[in-house]
């Protein structure tokens, strides 16, 4: 059994749009310009680089705890970022967000989220609960206090960002969470998860986040895509915990997985009937990490340059990966993990843009899909005698203009054809 | 944190036994002989070899579907088997047990179970539900019928063997069950598990078996000891399914794991507070299987002889493995998987006895533990003025005799000292 089909057949729709004037009457024989303005599919990337600029910082800002370009470089990235992506993931790593207990970085992250929203970008928060980058101060608390503090942290972020951030990785990497051993001293979140169990820890995160922001899309996210994650998901669903999407990471520092493996992952996780979000996708444009590295954090190199051959490979692979993902009906979102090589995780040449700010071939290749092959170019049409035009377009948001008047419509393959009033 | 302690400290107890005569009065200043007759700990092995002899078959019997010696050779094994083990696992592989629908091999397996019981051996059944060795005829039934038939099979075996077989691997290898792909045509149990989910499949097996034999000890058994099995167990416990023991396989055809890995497995699975049964332990006395073999069934060799070096290694390793397991308080049972090399799974020299019926060094080494180091030898003592003797012995069953009179007591480290009437 395969669930795959071509992205085109799946995500494009024929629609007959009726154009009406302000008084409701159809506009027959009228020249109109139809333009796609946004994808319905969520094309995401991290927005870590823009937290500084959004706060008017010029080098003096807080350090980005998980990479990201410096504020000067970030400014130059803005146009490239906004031309390709619809959804920004912002960093809520607890150790960086609240380095001193009771002093969360809320104001600064709110400014960053608002900056994206003003530019038409949806914002996602990552992550509410995770064992890595847990603040050291949490470790000093008792077992019971740790649970209370974790609950309060989830509730606080979900509530104070509601309306700005309505998608969250509610909890990250639970498969390894209670047995995570790649650290000198056990962190408090692993301790909690080991004590109460994986499923109660997941319940805690989803329960508090849902309660604080009932409109939020809450994602269970993991890098472990083995049968362990299946078993965990089945336990979560049996326990009656409502999750809105299954998050699948694909940090491919060791090389592109290929269509067959990707398809196999898609089919194993699609069978739960939940949307799939590819949350963290990386393809490097330099040497590949050796295949025997298990925890990617264990691979540290002095220099990891982007190379011409690596950049060509990355461009080919990014197209193959996105084509495979968009051809599967369960996939609702793909987030690329890194705009620029500057400050990238592990120093890897994982960005779509080089450290000097110039786009790599992978940027152009992905742009060729997202704004080319999968995008309706501005199209001039003439309405028929009943004011109708036939549009075949990708799921998303469109404008229709006639002279100085304009209107908007949303195209979805699963919805009835739209009507649009041009005024 | 470590839960380990020495087997001696854990499984031996000091007890003051009061010896009384038939009228209840203590027997002061009396010479008594204290003898251990059985271990409290479950030392198991498969009993597949004895199904034929127990049924008086001499070569004309049904083929053993999962290995085992021929009836003639099995006879010679009896004394060796009975001198070392307390618990026999009998084969209920469905394809062999019911090759034609509606014609189960109940009578023959009942005779085998009774044969063991008459010899003081506890009997365990393996397995009630498993995707491998599912009968082909099951595949032809509809999804709904498959579930009904599986339920009925579990109920039938659990009920018709109650009193003879009161320990069952209720379900086997569920981690891989729904995604099991090492077969030409998908079997019906994998199909069922994929359709309804792992946890509902486990619930089905435990529910039916429990209902049919409320006294049974029901084991969840797997070879996959990765975090996947942890996730599965946590889901099962969250779902409120009562399991009596966690079964851990250790087929070490690729070499002994070593104490560190074994200890790590013990600690990860002991944290659920359930007894641990090491259900299928194998150590070969010949060449090791290459480490890269994932599914042991994929390794087929023409000849796989037992070698002198291999036999020495096996003897050392079996002692190391059993010492590690018995030193952990959660472990209640260890089942070695194979008495003889004759007819052994995969043709491996996995037995404790060679194909010619002579014991290997591993048999003697294990015997040295089970009936030597961990066994109270017959001990002559004299009761004090109040009829008491001090006994330091291993958990298990004992007899006390004085002249022609004798009595019995059970020694358990967690129980109050026994009283024994010698009559």
């Amino acid at each position: 059994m395969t669930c795959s089909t071509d992205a085109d057949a799946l995500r494009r729709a024929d629609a007959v749009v009726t154009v009406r004037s302000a008084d409701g009457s159809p506009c027959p024989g009228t020249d109109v310009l139809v333009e796609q303005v946004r994808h319905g599919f969520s094309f995401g990337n991290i927005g870590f680089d823009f937290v500084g600029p959004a706060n008017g910082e010029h080098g003096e800002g807080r350090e980005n705890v998980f990479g990201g370009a410096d504020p000067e470089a970030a400014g130059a990235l803005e146009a490239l970022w906004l031309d390709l992506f619809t959804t920004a993931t912002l960093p809520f790593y607890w150790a960086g967000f609240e380095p001193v207990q009771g002093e969360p970085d809320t104001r600064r992250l709110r400014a960053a989220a608002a900056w994206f929203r003003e530019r038409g970008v949806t914002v996602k928060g990552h992550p509410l609960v995770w064992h890595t980058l847990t603040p050291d101060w949490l470790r000093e608390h008792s077992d019971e206090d740790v649970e209370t503090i974790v609950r309060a942290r989830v509730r606080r972020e979900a509530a104070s960002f509601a309306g700005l951030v309505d998608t969250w990785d509610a909890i990250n990497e639970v498969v390894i969470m209670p047995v995570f051993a790649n650290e000198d001293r056990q962190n408090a979140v692993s301790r909690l998860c080991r004590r109460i169990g994986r499923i109660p820890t997941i319940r805690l995160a989803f329960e508090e986040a849902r309660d604080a922001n009932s409109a939020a899309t809450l994602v269970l996210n993991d890098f472990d895509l083995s049968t362990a994650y299946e078993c965990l998901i089945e336990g979560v669903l049996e326990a009656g915990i409502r999750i809105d999407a299954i998050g699948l990471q694909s940090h491919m520092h060791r090389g592109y997985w290929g269509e067959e493996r990707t398809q196999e992952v898609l089919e194993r996780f699609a069978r739960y009937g939940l949307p799939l979000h590819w949350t963290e996708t990386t393809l490097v444009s330099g040497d590949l990490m050796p295949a025997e590295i298990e925890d990617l954090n264990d691979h540290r190199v002095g220099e990891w340059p982007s190379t011409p051959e690596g950049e060509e490979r990355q461009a080919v692979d990014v197209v193959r990966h996105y084509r495979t993902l968009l051809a599967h009906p369960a996939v609702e979102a793909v987030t690329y993990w890194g705009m620029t090589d500057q400050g990238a995780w592990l120093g890897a040449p994982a960005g779509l843009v080089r450290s000097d700010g110039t786009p790599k071939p992978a940027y152009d290749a992905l742009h060729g899909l997202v704004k080319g092959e999968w995008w309706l170019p501005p199209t001039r049409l003439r309405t028929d005698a009943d004011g109708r035009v036939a549009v075949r377009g990708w799921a998303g948001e469109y404008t229709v203009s006639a002279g100085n008047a304009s209107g908007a419509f949303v195209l979805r393959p699963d919805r009835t054809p739209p009507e649009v009033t041009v005024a």
Side-chain angles (χ1 to χ4, degrees), chain A:
Chain A
M1 186 203 74
T2 173
C3 295
S4 82
T5 175
D6 185 71
D8 184 284
L10 194 65
R11 302 188 188 273
R12 260 172 110 176
D14 283 305
V16 175
V17 180
T18 304
V19 181
R20 297 179 187 279
S21 58
D23 65 6
S25 59
C27 306
T30 307
D31 290 319
V32 297
L33 177 66
V34 177
E35 293 175 280
Q36 183 171 1
V37 293
R38 186 183 164 90
H39 267 292
F41 188 88
S42 173
F43 289 102
N45 201 332
I46 53 174
F48 301 1
D49 305 304
F50 302 100
V51 178
N55 282 276
E57 294 163 5
H58 299 284
E60 86 284 12
R62 277 196 185 187
E63 194 190 353
N64 272 321
V65 277
F66 217 73
D70 60 58
E72 283 67 26
L77 289 175
E78 182 179 333
L80 290 169
W81 200 105
L82 294 172
D83 196 29
L84 190 47
F85 298 107
T86 68
T87 307
T89 295
L90 287 182
F92 286 82
Y93 302 108
W94 200 354
F97 185 78
E98 193 178 4
V100 176
Q101 190 173 10
E103 297 181 19
D105 203 12
T106 309
R107 185 198 54 74
R108 196 159 156 276
L109 267 292
R110 280 188 63 88
W115 186 91
F116 274 110
R117 292 296 294 262
E118 287 156 14
R119 286 156 181 77
V121 175
T122 303
V123 185
K124 176 184 171 183
H126 169 83
L128 287 170
V129 180
W130 190 29
H131 50 277
T132 302
L133 295 177
T134 299
D136 285 339
W137 54 256
L138 188 63
R139 203 189 272 128
E140 312 310 325
H141 290 275
S142 70
D143 283 352
E144 290 66 27
D145 286 354
V146 166
E147 180 170 343
T148 306
I149 294 165
V150 170
R151 283 186 179 273
R153 128 87 169 176
V154 172
R155 176 176 289 271
R156 180 186 62 197
E157 269 62 280
S160 52
F161 286 84
L164 279 175
V165 180
D166 293 327
T167 302
W168 289 97
D169 286 327
I171 188 162
N172 199 32
E173 303 181 355
V174 185
V175 171
I176 206 176
M177 189 175 278
V179 290
F180 184 69
N182 199 357
E183 56 191 348
D184 296 330
R185 286 179 66 197
Q186 193 187 38
N187 71 84
V189 168
S190 285
R191 200 175 93 211
L192 170 68
C193 189
R194 194 172 175 96
R195 183 173 69 84
I196 69 175
R198 289 175 173 90
I199 296 171
T201 308
I202 293 170
R203 181 183 282 120
L204 168 166
F206 278 78
E207 222 171 57
E208 296 294 345
R210 182 86 65 203
D211 204 46
N213 179 1
S214 62
T217 297
L218 301 178
V219 183
L220 179 69
N221 194 42
D222 216 301
F223 73 89
D224 186 330
L225 309 186
S226 72
T227 51
Y229 195 28
E230 294 176 46
C231 291
L232 181 65
I233 291 166
E234 293 181 27
V236 165
L237 298 177
E238 282 294 321
I241 300 166
R242 181 186 140 206
I243 60 178
D244 299 316
I246 295 171
L248 307 168
Q249 299 180 23
S250 55
H251 291 294
M252 295 181 280
H253 294 73
R254 289 165 297 200
Y256 174 53
W257 293 349
E259 286 80 359
E260 194 179 352
R261 175 173 166 195
T262 307
Q263 189 65 32
E264 184 261 347
V265 169
L266 284 165
E267 292 186 13
R268 280 195 293 115
F269 291 96
R271 74 180 199 268
Y272 302 112
L274 288 165
L276 302 180
H277 287 197
W278 287 73
T279 50
E280 305 181 24
T281 292
T282 305
L283 288 159
V284 296
S285 68
D287 290 346
L288 298 179
M289 195 184 279
E292 66 270 18
I293 301 286
E294 285 204 15
D295 185 332
L296 301 184
N297 287 294
D298 291 338
H299 186 70
R300 298 289 180 172
V301 285
E303 288 237 317
W304 196 346
S306 188
T307 64
E309 321 79 75
E311 292 187 357
E312 289 310 317
R313 185 192 62 226
Q314 183 195 35
V316 169
D317 291 345
V318 81
V319 168
R320 292 172 62 188
H321 196 50
Y322 275 69
R323 274 199 202 287
T324 306
L325 300 186
L326 269 85
H328 197 289
V331 178
E332 283 190 352
V334 182
T335 296
Y336 195 83
W337 201 256
M339 190 61 193
T340 168
D341 288 351
Q342 197 177 57
W345 180 42
L346 306 171
L352 300 173
V353 171
R354 300 183 192 98
S355 289
D356 67 6
T358 56
K360 295 180 191 173
Y363 179 91
D364 296 327
L366 189 55
H367 194 275
L369 285 180
V370 174
K371 283 299 187 67
E373 188 180 325
W374 294 339
W375 186 260
L376 184 75
T379 303
R380 295 195 179 278
L381 298 165
R382 189 172 178 85
T383 61
D384 68 9
D386 298 315
R388 297 176 307 190
V389 287
V391 177
R392 175 163 175 76
W394 297 83
E397 297 172 21
Y398 291 78
T399 59
V400 181
S401 46
N404 290 328
S406 71
F409 68 93
V410 172
L411 190 65
R412 286 181 54 169
D414 56 345
R415 290 284 171 85
T416 50
E419 303 238 333
V420 56
T421 299
V422 176

